[in-house]
Tab-separated table of all heavy atoms in Angstrom:
chain	number	residue	atom	x	y	z
Z	508	PRO	N	77.517	65.080	89.246
Z	508	PRO	CA	76.155	64.451	88.919
Z	508	PRO	C	75.030	65.423	89.291
Z	508	PRO	O	75.037	65.954	90.405
Z	508	PRO	CB	76.165	63.153	89.740
Z	508	PRO	CG	77.644	62.888	89.946
Z	508	PRO	CD	78.342	64.173	90.022
Z	509	ALA	N	74.083	65.566	88.391
Z	509	ALA	CA	73.024	66.547	88.576
Z	509	ALA	C	72.119	66.221	89.812
Z	509	ALA	O	71.813	67.153	90.557
Z	509	ALA	CB	72.138	66.595	87.339
Z	510	PRO	N	71.774	64.983	90.116
Z	510	PRO	CA	70.858	64.801	91.240
Z	510	PRO	C	71.449	65.133	92.586
Z	510	PRO	O	70.748	65.304	93.548
Z	510	PRO	CB	70.536	63.292	91.171
Z	510	PRO	CG	70.936	62.845	89.775
Z	510	PRO	CD	72.049	63.721	89.386
Z	511	GLY	N	72.749	65.210	92.691
Z	511	GLY	CA	73.424	65.355	93.998
Z	511	GLY	C	73.124	66.706	94.601
Z	511	GLY	O	73.172	66.837	95.841
Z	512	ALA	N	72.843	67.752	93.824
Z	512	ALA	CA	72.617	69.080	94.413
Z	512	ALA	C	71.344	69.198	95.149
Z	512	ALA	O	71.154	70.088	96.005
Z	512	ALA	CB	72.634	70.132	93.258
Z	513	ASP	N	70.354	68.278	94.909
Z	513	ASP	CA	69.063	68.305	95.559
Z	513	ASP	C	69.163	68.034	97.053
Z	513	ASP	O	68.304	68.469	97.848
Z	513	ASP	CB	68.096	67.367	94.935
Z	513	ASP	CG	67.830	67.692	93.461
Z	513	ASP	OD1	68.065	68.885	93.101
Z	513	ASP	OD2	67.467	66.829	92.638
Z	514	SER	N	70.160	67.288	97.472
Z	514	SER	CA	70.303	66.850	98.879
Z	514	SER	C	71.136	67.778	99.688
Z	514	SER	O	71.472	67.488	100.860
Z	514	SER	CB	70.875	65.380	98.936
Z	514	SER	OG	72.158	65.393	98.368
Z	515	LEU	N	71.581	68.931	99.124
Z	515	LEU	CA	72.511	69.813	99.833
Z	515	LEU	C	71.806	70.836	100.729
Z	515	LEU	O	72.483	71.511	101.504
Z	515	LEU	CB	73.403	70.521	98.860
Z	515	LEU	CG	74.430	69.704	98.119
Z	515	LEU	CD1	75.228	70.589	97.143
Z	515	LEU	CD2	75.390	69.028	99.121
Z	516	GLY	N	70.486	70.916	100.621
Z	516	GLY	CA	69.816	71.974	101.308
Z	516	GLY	C	70.096	72.059	102.814
Z	516	GLY	O	70.536	73.103	103.327
Z	517	PRO	N	69.952	70.946	103.544
Z	517	PRO	CA	70.248	71.006	105.003
Z	517	PRO	C	71.710	71.306	105.324
Z	517	PRO	O	72.025	71.679	106.482
Z	517	PRO	CB	69.812	69.654	105.572
Z	517	PRO	CG	68.878	69.089	104.460
Z	517	PRO	CD	69.391	69.628	103.220
Z	518	TRP	N	72.559	71.056	104.364
Z	518	TRP	CA	74.024	71.192	104.628
Z	518	TRP	C	74.575	72.527	104.182
Z	518	TRP	O	75.761	72.830	104.429
Z	518	TRP	CB	74.780	70.053	103.859
Z	518	TRP	CG	74.485	68.692	104.391
Z	518	TRP	CD1	73.572	67.858	103.947
Z	518	TRP	CD2	75.083	68.056	105.587
Z	518	TRP	NE1	73.560	66.689	104.673
Z	518	TRP	CE2	74.500	66.780	105.675
Z	518	TRP	CE3	76.100	68.485	106.429
Z	518	TRP	CZ2	74.838	65.920	106.636
Z	518	TRP	CZ3	76.446	67.586	107.462
Z	518	TRP	CH2	75.841	66.313	107.561
Z	519	LEU	N	73.763	73.372	103.521
Z	519	LEU	CA	74.306	74.630	103.046
Z	519	LEU	C	74.823	75.532	104.152
Z	519	LEU	O	75.886	76.152	103.974
Z	519	LEU	CB	73.251	75.323	102.192
Z	519	LEU	CG	72.973	74.765	100.805
Z	519	LEU	CD1	71.867	75.499	100.104
Z	519	LEU	CD2	74.270	74.818	100.004
Z	520	PRO	N	74.124	75.678	105.276
Z	520	PRO	CA	74.727	76.484	106.375
Z	520	PRO	C	76.105	75.987	106.798
Z	520	PRO	O	77.007	76.748	107.106
Z	520	PRO	CB	73.655	76.388	107.486
Z	520	PRO	CG	72.378	76.115	106.790
Z	520	PRO	CD	72.764	75.223	105.628
Z	521	HIS	N	76.243	74.679	106.872
Z	521	HIS	CA	77.534	74.124	107.276
Z	521	HIS	C	78.607	74.423	106.190
Z	521	HIS	O	79.756	74.802	106.549
Z	521	HIS	CB	77.419	72.573	107.415
Z	521	HIS	CG	78.726	71.916	107.685
Z	521	HIS	ND1	79.365	72.043	108.932
Z	521	HIS	CD2	79.518	71.110	106.930
Z	521	HIS	CE1	80.494	71.329	108.874
Z	521	HIS	NE2	80.588	70.748	107.683
Z	522	CYS	N	78.221	74.343	104.932
Z	522	CYS	CA	79.188	74.699	103.856
Z	522	CYS	C	79.540	76.183	103.946
Z	522	CYS	O	80.702	76.562	103.748
Z	522	CYS	CB	78.571	74.389	102.492
Z	522	CYS	SG	78.272	72.651	102.168
Z	523	LEU	N	78.551	77.014	104.209
Z	523	LEU	CA	78.795	78.443	104.416
Z	523	LEU	C	79.811	78.738	105.502
Z	523	LEU	O	80.685	79.555	105.450
Z	523	LEU	CB	77.484	79.138	104.621
Z	523	LEU	CG	77.562	80.715	104.846
Z	523	LEU	CD1	78.246	81.366	103.585
Z	523	LEU	CD2	76.189	81.311	105.070
Z	524	ARG	N	79.665	77.961	106.654
Z	524	ARG	CA	80.609	78.159	107.780
Z	524	ARG	C	82.000	77.724	107.363
Z	524	ARG	O	82.980	78.385	107.787
Z	524	ARG	CB	80.063	77.345	108.961
Z	524	ARG	CG	78.871	77.951	109.711
Z	524	ARG	CD	78.675	77.286	111.016
Z	524	ARG	NE	78.293	75.909	110.856
Z	524	ARG	CZ	77.063	75.461	110.762
Z	524	ARG	NH1	76.055	76.334	110.731
Z	524	ARG	NH2	76.756	74.197	110.645
Z	525	CYS	N	82.149	76.672	106.600
Z	525	CYS	CA	83.467	76.247	106.141
Z	525	CYS	C	84.105	77.323	105.289
Z	525	CYS	O	85.303	77.660	105.498
Z	525	CYS	CB	83.352	74.931	105.391
Z	525	CYS	SG	82.861	73.491	106.404
Z	526	VAL	N	83.355	77.859	104.335
Z	526	VAL	CA	83.952	78.875	103.433
Z	526	VAL	C	84.233	80.132	104.218
Z	526	VAL	O	85.263	80.782	104.038
Z	526	VAL	CB	82.965	79.162	102.303
Z	526	VAL	CG1	83.520	80.245	101.376
Z	526	VAL	CG2	82.674	77.894	101.514
Z	527	ARG	N	83.355	80.494	105.189
Z	527	ARG	CA	83.618	81.716	106.011
Z	527	ARG	C	84.904	81.538	106.851
Z	527	ARG	O	85.662	82.432	107.040
Z	527	ARG	CB	82.470	81.953	106.914
Z	527	ARG	CG	81.366	82.745	106.207
Z	527	ARG	CD	80.132	82.945	107.104
Z	527	ARG	NE	79.267	83.969	106.620
Z	527	ARG	CZ	78.044	84.218	107.161
Z	527	ARG	NH1	77.629	83.482	108.143
Z	527	ARG	NH2	77.309	85.162	106.649
Z	528	SER	N	85.096	80.297	107.387
Z	528	SER	CA	86.331	80.079	108.118
Z	528	SER	C	87.581	80.258	107.295
Z	528	SER	O	88.569	80.846	107.738
Z	528	SER	CB	86.313	78.635	108.728
Z	528	SER	OG	87.492	78.322	109.390
Z	529	THR	N	87.559	79.744	106.082
Z	529	THR	CA	88.709	79.958	105.142
Z	529	THR	C	88.856	81.445	104.816
Z	529	THR	O	89.930	82.008	104.801
Z	529	THR	CB	88.444	79.149	103.862
Z	529	THR	OG1	88.340	77.818	104.175
Z	529	THR	CG2	89.605	79.342	102.883
Z	530	TYR	N	87.745	82.147	104.603
Z	530	TYR	CA	87.780	83.569	104.306
Z	530	TYR	C	88.368	84.372	105.445
Z	530	TYR	O	89.202	85.285	105.203
Z	530	TYR	CB	86.352	84.031	103.994
Z	530	TYR	CG	86.224	85.457	103.482
Z	530	TYR	CD1	87.100	85.908	102.434
Z	530	TYR	CD2	85.310	86.348	103.922
Z	530	TYR	CE1	86.977	87.192	101.936
Z	530	TYR	CE2	85.149	87.602	103.407
Z	530	TYR	CZ	86.052	88.037	102.406
Z	530	TYR	OH	85.890	89.317	101.930
Z	531	ALA	N	88.023	84.002	106.702
Z	531	ALA	CA	88.581	84.702	107.850
Z	531	ALA	C	90.124	84.502	107.903
Z	531	ALA	O	90.874	85.462	108.189
Z	531	ALA	CB	87.936	84.227	109.144
Z	532	GLY	N	90.569	83.306	107.586
Z	532	GLY	CA	91.987	83.060	107.557
Z	532	GLY	C	92.711	83.916	106.502
Z	532	GLY	O	93.808	84.418	106.714
Z	533	LEU	N	92.053	84.057	105.357
Z	533	LEU	CA	92.650	84.864	104.303
Z	533	LEU	C	92.688	86.310	104.670
Z	533	LEU	O	93.645	87.061	104.318
Z	533	LEU	CB	91.904	84.685	102.986
Z	533	LEU	CG	91.920	83.285	102.346
Z	533	LEU	CD1	91.067	83.191	101.124
Z	533	LEU	CD2	93.332	82.817	102.084
Z	534	ILE	N	91.665	86.798	105.374
Z	534	ILE	CA	91.650	88.234	105.780
Z	534	ILE	C	92.786	88.498	106.748
Z	534	ILE	O	93.430	89.562	106.718
Z	534	ILE	CB	90.295	88.534	106.404
Z	534	ILE	CG1	89.172	88.461	105.340
Z	534	ILE	CG2	90.318	89.872	107.082
Z	534	ILE	CD1	87.738	88.678	105.911
Z	535	ARG	N	93.037	87.521	107.641
Z	535	ARG	CA	94.141	87.756	108.597
Z	535	ARG	C	95.483	87.838	107.921
Z	535	ARG	O	96.449	88.408	108.475
Z	535	ARG	CB	94.141	86.618	109.656
Z	535	ARG	CG	93.018	86.672	110.638
Z	535	ARG	CD	93.244	85.714	111.785
Z	535	ARG	NE	93.209	84.356	111.371
Z	535	ARG	CZ	92.099	83.611	111.379
Z	535	ARG	NH1	90.928	84.119	111.710
Z	535	ARG	NH2	92.172	82.327	110.961
Z	536	LEU	N	95.633	87.319	106.715
Z	536	LEU	CA	96.886	87.398	106.002
Z	536	LEU	C	97.130	88.734	105.388
Z	536	LEU	O	98.218	89.018	104.850
Z	536	LEU	CB	96.936	86.310	104.908
Z	536	LEU	CG	96.945	84.870	105.399
Z	536	LEU	CD1	96.883	83.927	104.187
Z	536	LEU	CD2	98.112	84.580	106.311
Z	537	ASP	N	96.153	89.596	105.422
Z	537	ASP	CA	96.239	90.966	104.800
Z	537	ASP	C	96.506	90.827	103.331
Z	537	ASP	O	97.432	91.446	102.752
Z	537	ASP	CB	97.376	91.746	105.461
Z	537	ASP	CG	97.304	93.214	105.175
Z	537	ASP	OD1	96.157	93.683	104.761
Z	537	ASP	OD2	98.279	93.932	105.295
Z	538	LEU	N	95.726	90.002	102.605
Z	538	LEU	CA	95.831	89.833	101.203
Z	538	LEU	C	95.306	91.071	100.469
Z	538	LEU	O	94.556	91.882	101.031
Z	538	LEU	CB	95.003	88.640	100.744
Z	538	LEU	CG	95.545	87.237	101.127
Z	538	LEU	CD1	94.534	86.142	100.735
Z	538	LEU	CD2	96.869	86.949	100.574
Z	539	PRO	N	95.719	91.305	99.198
Z	539	PRO	CA	95.180	92.432	98.444
Z	539	PRO	C	93.689	92.199	98.270
Z	539	PRO	O	93.157	91.098	98.256
Z	539	PRO	CB	95.913	92.307	97.131
Z	539	PRO	CG	96.529	90.968	97.079
Z	539	PRO	CD	96.731	90.526	98.457
Z	540	GLY	N	92.951	93.326	98.022
Z	540	GLY	CA	91.554	93.289	97.926
Z	540	GLY	C	91.043	92.457	96.776
Z	540	GLY	O	89.964	91.861	96.827
Z	541	GLU	N	91.822	92.375	95.635
Z	541	GLU	CA	91.358	91.539	94.513
Z	541	GLU	C	91.212	90.119	94.869
Z	541	GLU	O	90.224	89.451	94.416
Z	541	GLU	CB	92.378	91.713	93.376
Z	541	GLU	CG	91.999	91.027	92.086
Z	541	GLU	CD	93.015	91.241	90.978
Z	541	GLU	OE1	93.962	92.024	91.188
Z	541	GLU	OE2	92.868	90.610	89.925
Z	542	ALA	N	92.077	89.541	95.680
Z	542	ALA	CA	91.977	88.167	96.043
Z	542	ALA	C	90.819	87.952	96.985
Z	542	ALA	O	90.086	86.954	96.884
Z	542	ALA	CB	93.328	87.676	96.708
Z	543	LEU	N	90.649	88.870	97.956
Z	543	LEU	CA	89.537	88.699	98.935
Z	543	LEU	C	88.198	88.901	98.275
Z	543	LEU	O	87.235	88.266	98.665
Z	543	LEU	CB	89.760	89.681	100.092
Z	543	LEU	CG	91.011	89.504	100.905
Z	543	LEU	CD1	91.092	90.623	101.971
Z	543	LEU	CD2	90.996	88.149	101.589
Z	544	ASP	N	88.165	89.701	97.241
Z	544	ASP	CA	86.852	89.951	96.568
Z	544	ASP	C	86.343	88.736	95.890
Z	544	ASP	O	85.142	88.494	95.735
Z	544	ASP	CB	87.025	91.106	95.570
Z	544	ASP	CG	87.171	92.455	96.249
Z	544	ASP	OD1	86.907	92.518	97.448
Z	544	ASP	OD2	87.634	93.426	95.593
Z	545	ILE	N	87.245	87.893	95.396
Z	545	ILE	CA	86.823	86.622	94.704
Z	545	ILE	C	86.098	85.719	95.712
Z	545	ILE	O	84.965	85.223	95.406
Z	545	ILE	CB	88.054	85.874	94.158
Z	545	ILE	CG1	88.737	86.754	93.093
Z	545	ILE	CG2	87.659	84.513	93.554
Z	545	ILE	CD1	89.990	86.111	92.551
Z	546	VAL	N	86.658	85.580	96.934
Z	546	VAL	CA	86.002	84.769	97.925
Z	546	VAL	C	84.786	85.463	98.461
Z	546	VAL	O	83.746	84.842	98.734
Z	546	VAL	CB	86.995	84.418	99.066
Z	546	VAL	CG1	86.348	83.459	100.032
Z	546	VAL	CG2	88.273	83.842	98.475
Z	547	GLY	N	84.852	86.773	98.610
Z	547	GLY	CA	83.691	87.530	99.106
Z	547	GLY	C	82.523	87.393	98.152
Z	547	GLY	O	81.380	87.243	98.621
Z	548	CYS	N	82.734	87.382	96.829
Z	548	CYS	CA	81.677	87.246	95.888
Z	548	CYS	C	81.071	85.838	95.997
Z	548	CYS	O	79.851	85.651	95.924
Z	548	CYS	CB	82.169	87.456	94.473
Z	548	CYS	SG	80.939	87.316	93.183
Z	549	LEU	N	81.924	84.827	96.227
Z	549	LEU	CA	81.398	83.462	96.404
Z	549	LEU	C	80.523	83.390	97.675
Z	549	LEU	O	79.447	82.773	97.640
Z	549	LEU	CB	82.576	82.505	96.481
Z	549	LEU	CG	82.241	81.109	97.017
Z	549	LEU	CD1	81.367	80.382	95.962
Z	549	LEU	CD2	83.485	80.243	97.271
Z	550	ILE	N	81.021	83.947	98.744
Z	550	ILE	CA	80.218	83.922	99.961
Z	550	ILE	C	78.925	84.651	99.863
Z	550	ILE	O	77.853	84.139	100.327
Z	550	ILE	CB	81.055	84.489	101.123
Z	550	ILE	CG1	82.265	83.616	101.436
Z	550	ILE	CG2	80.227	84.792	102.366
Z	550	ILE	CD1	83.157	84.149	102.548
Z	551	PHE	N	78.920	85.796	99.092
Z	551	PHE	CA	77.663	86.458	98.934
Z	551	PHE	C	76.639	85.568	98.146
Z	551	PHE	O	75.473	85.481	98.509
Z	551	PHE	CB	77.898	87.776	98.156
Z	551	PHE	CG	76.654	88.614	97.953
Z	551	PHE	CD1	76.255	89.455	98.904
Z	551	PHE	CD2	75.946	88.495	96.743
Z	551	PHE	CE1	75.076	90.253	98.723
Z	551	PHE	CE2	74.817	89.261	96.557
Z	551	PHE	CZ	74.372	90.171	97.565
Z	552	ASP	N	77.110	84.982	97.048
Z	552	ASP	CA	76.257	84.087	96.262
Z	552	ASP	C	75.808	82.895	97.077
Z	552	ASP	O	74.651	82.434	96.993
Z	552	ASP	CB	76.960	83.584	95.023
Z	552	ASP	CG	77.181	84.739	93.994
Z	552	ASP	OD1	76.506	85.771	94.142
Z	552	ASP	OD2	78.066	84.547	93.154
Z	553	LEU	N	76.702	82.335	97.926
Z	553	LEU	CA	76.361	81.188	98.737
Z	553	LEU	C	75.332	81.609	99.812
Z	553	LEU	O	74.418	80.795	100.098
Z	553	LEU	CB	77.631	80.642	99.400
Z	553	LEU	CG	77.441	79.388	100.231
Z	553	LEU	CD1	76.776	78.274	99.424
Z	553	LEU	CD2	78.781	78.849	100.796
Z	554	ARG	N	75.483	82.750	100.407
Z	554	ARG	CA	74.498	83.266	101.344
Z	554	ARG	C	73.137	83.412	100.712
Z	554	ARG	O	72.068	83.017	101.262
Z	554	ARG	CB	74.980	84.581	101.994
Z	554	ARG	CG	76.245	84.513	102.882
Z	554	ARG	CD	76.733	85.842	103.196
Z	554	ARG	NE	75.802	86.681	103.970
Z	554	ARG	CZ	75.932	87.983	104.111
Z	554	ARG	NH1	76.961	88.559	103.602
Z	554	ARG	NH2	75.026	88.629	104.835
Z	555	LEU	N	73.205	83.950	99.483
Z	555	LEU	CA	71.905	84.189	98.762
Z	555	LEU	C	71.260	82.816	98.488
Z	555	LEU	O	70.068	82.650	98.576
Z	555	LEU	CB	72.148	84.960	97.505
Z	555	LEU	CG	70.980	85.607	96.804
Z	555	LEU	CD1	70.330	86.610	97.703
Z	555	LEU	CD2	71.389	86.290	95.533
Z	556	HIS	N	72.055	81.884	98.001
Z	556	HIS	CA	71.555	80.544	97.694
Z	556	HIS	C	71.091	79.839	98.947
Z	556	HIS	O	70.028	79.150	98.926
Z	556	HIS	CB	72.624	79.700	96.989
Z	556	HIS	CG	72.149	78.399	96.565
Z	556	HIS	ND1	71.146	78.162	95.659
Z	556	HIS	CD2	72.595	77.121	96.954
Z	556	HIS	CE1	70.926	76.848	95.542
Z	556	HIS	NE2	71.806	76.180	96.308
Z	557	CYS	N	71.801	80.006	100.031
Z	557	CYS	CA	71.396	79.384	101.291
Z	557	CYS	C	70.044	79.926	101.789
Z	557	CYS	O	69.171	79.199	102.221
Z	557	CYS	CB	72.497	79.604	102.339
Z	557	CYS	SG	72.202	78.740	103.937
Z	558	MET	N	69.935	81.244	101.690
Z	558	MET	CA	68.691	81.850	102.081
Z	558	MET	C	67.535	81.350	101.199
Z	558	MET	O	66.481	80.975	101.715
Z	558	MET	CB	68.806	83.404	101.918
Z	558	MET	CG	67.508	84.167	102.242
Z	558	MET	SD	67.586	85.905	101.891
Z	558	MET	CE	67.611	85.890	100.108
Z	559	SER	N	67.747	81.284	99.865
Z	559	SER	CA	66.729	80.835	98.983
Z	559	SER	C	66.385	79.384	99.259
Z	559	SER	O	65.205	79.035	99.313
Z	559	SER	CB	67.259	80.947	97.540
Z	559	SER	OG	66.309	80.440	96.621
Z	560	THR	N	67.384	78.555	99.515
Z	560	THR	CA	67.152	77.147	99.796
Z	560	THR	C	66.375	76.945	101.083
Z	560	THR	O	65.394	76.095	101.160
Z	560	THR	CB	68.511	76.365	99.856
Z	560	THR	OG1	69.190	76.540	98.646
Z	560	THR	CG2	68.221	74.860	100.082
Z	561	GLN	N	66.741	77.710	102.135
Z	561	GLN	CA	66.001	77.578	103.380
Z	561	GLN	C	64.530	77.921	103.235
Z	561	GLN	O	63.649	77.247	103.746
Z	561	GLN	CB	66.706	78.449	104.420
Z	561	GLN	CG	68.033	78.025	104.856
Z	561	GLN	CD	68.074	76.842	105.728
Z	561	GLN	OE1	67.055	76.452	106.273
Z	561	GLN	NE2	69.184	76.190	105.790
Z	562	PHE	N	64.261	79.018	102.482
Z	562	PHE	CA	62.907	79.421	102.331
Z	562	PHE	C	62.108	78.442	101.401
Z	562	PHE	O	60.957	78.151	101.673
Z	562	PHE	CB	62.782	80.814	101.742
Z	562	PHE	CG	62.857	81.933	102.749
Z	562	PHE	CD1	63.999	82.578	103.044
Z	562	PHE	CD2	61.704	82.301	103.462
Z	562	PHE	CE1	64.099	83.589	103.951
Z	562	PHE	CE2	61.745	83.310	104.397
Z	562	PHE	CZ	62.921	83.945	104.690
Z	563	ILE	N	62.812	77.927	100.387
Z	563	ILE	CA	62.173	76.966	99.513
Z	563	ILE	C	61.885	75.682	100.268
Z	563	ILE	O	60.768	75.051	100.091
Z	563	ILE	CB	63.053	76.718	98.270
Z	563	ILE	CG1	63.107	77.938	97.368
Z	563	ILE	CG2	62.525	75.491	97.473
Z	563	ILE	CD1	64.086	77.805	96.200
Side-chain angles (χ1 to χ4, degrees):
D513 299 335
S514 61
L515 290 179
W518 294 95
L519 284 177
H521 175 70
C522 295
L523 178 60
R524 285 193 295 271
C525 293
V526 179
R527 276 177 166 172
S528 177
T529 302
Y530 189 46
L533 297 179
I534 292 175
R535 287 193 294 270
L536 295 177
D537 196 19
L538 290 175
E541 184 178 354
L543 295 177
D544 289 343
I545 297 175
V546 186
C548 181
L549 169 67
I550 291 179
F551 182 85
D552 292 343
L553 183 55
R554 291 169 63 194
L555 196 63
H556 181 61
C557 185
M558 177 186 72
S559 176
T560 303
Q561 293 288 342
F562 273 98
I563 291 174

